[in-house]
Amino acid sequence: MRDTRFSIRPTTEADWREVRALRLEMLGDTPIAFGETLDTARSHGDAEWKMRGRRGTTEGGTVLAAITDSGRWIGTMGAYTPEYTTVPMLVGVYVTPKFRGTAAGVTAALLASVEDWAAQRSDRILLHVHEDNTRAHALYAKHGYQDTGRTFPYVLDPSRRELEMVKSLSPGR
């Protein structure tokens, strides 16, 4: 029986090894979901990973990790407010395959936590999802995100598109 109890918390610099391991896992699992290649991520030094770990506790953003009671990192999501807007953006969404789905509850719990963070800053949250990532698009739609009709070139292949989605949030959820 797999360990299904988990907690969610912001990442810290001390988590850099776990942040790195989960990032490499996510890039190997779903390469089109992220704006970085596995080879690029593997080339980063410790200082880069420590900086990424600190993102969980920065002023303008957050990165959350879902961690089983036995200490296994099973998911992550982040959000930040880009300089050009006041609307937070959901980024870095990943749940390890064995912990996906409604029954596990990891995705929903991470998403609710990120949305709570965003609701303290805006009445909306945005995301970009690769046009070919139909599983993620369906997940976001299930959780109340709607297509805006705006698209953007995918950073790793500008011939492909990322679709923008938005969700209205209740302030102080």
Side-chain angles (χ1 to χ4, degrees), residues 138-160:
L139 169 85
Y140 299 132
K142 175 183 167 187
H143 285 276
Y145 288 79
Q146 299 178 331
D147 288 300
T148 67
R150 295 179 64 190
T151 66
F152 301 89
Y154 174 53
V155 66
L156 298 179
D157 179 358
S159 72
R160 307 303 301 156

Side-chain angles (χ1 to χ4, degrees), residues 11 16-39 41-42 44 49 52 55 62-66 72-79 90-98 100 110 128 133 135-136 140 154 156:
T11 63
W16 70 272
R17 287 176 184 85
E18 292 85 358
V19 168
R20 178 182 60 197
L22 196 58
R23 181 70 175 181
L24 297 178
E25 178 185 325
M26 59 204 281
L27 290 169
D29 180 76
T30 318
I32 64 168
F34 309 101
E36 175 179 46
T37 67
L38 182 57
D39 286 342
R42 285 182 176 143
H44 296 314
W49 294 111
R52 289 181 183 207
R55 287 180 177 164
T62 191
V63 175
L64 304 175
R72 179 163 186 237
W73 284 46
I74 57 171
T76 186
M77 287 187 195
L90 178 66
V91 294
V93 174
Y94 180 74
V95 174
T96 198
K98 290 182 182 179
R100 292 178 184 156
L110 279 165
H128 294 167
N133 196 345
R135 183 185 75 215
Y140 299 132
Y154 174 53
L156 298 179

